[in-house]
Amino acid sequence: MGELSVSARKEEKELIISVSDTGIGMTPQEQKKLFEAFYQASGGIKGKTPGTGLGLAITKSIVEKHGGKIWMESEGLNKGSKFTFTLPI
């Protein structure tokens, strides 16, 4: 079973929130498309990621409309992922 961690910190005039997991991770090619509407990364237990591929595109839009930024980091397949976003305060 994987692990999930959430962290938050304040830096000057912004809040920085990160969510990390020890899940399937992503290839560099997948990372480039991740925030596009309807994009679904391959993988998972049965090779199909559930969902519509809209969640991260919507999240990016909301974060940016509030003046923030969002990005994702992964060292590759089976190495987990880290999603971070900022919001001005």
Side-chain angles (χ1 to χ4, degrees), residues 3-4 9 14 28-29 31 47 56-57 59 63 67-68 71 83 88:
E3 293 181 22
L4 181 70
R9 68 183 190 278
E14 67 183 4
Q29 295 81 12
Q31 291 177 43
L56 288 172
T59 301
V63 167
W71 64 93
F83 291 82

Side-chain angles (χ1 to χ4, degrees), residues 6-72:
V6 179
S7 66
R9 68 183 190 278
K10 179 184 172 193
E11 278 190 16
E12 297 183 22
K13 295 183 178 184
E14 67 183 4
L15 181 63
I16 302 170
I17 300 170
S18 296
V19 179
S20 302
D21 67 42
T22 58
I24 63 170
M26 295 192 153
T27 66
Q29 295 81 12
E30 290 175 320
Q31 291 177 43
K32 291 177 186 176
K33 299 178 183 179
L34 187 63
F35 293 99
E36 294 177 11
F38 303 109
Y39 178 75
Q40 291 181 303
S42 61
I45 295 171
K46 297 181 181 177
K48 170 76 172 88
T49 304
T52 60
L54 289 173
L56 288 172
I58 291 169
T59 301
K60 181 177 188 251
S61 176
I62 292 169
V63 167
E64 289 177 348
K65 285 181 181 181
H66 282 86
K69 297 178 286 185
I70 187 169
W71 64 93
M72 181 267 192

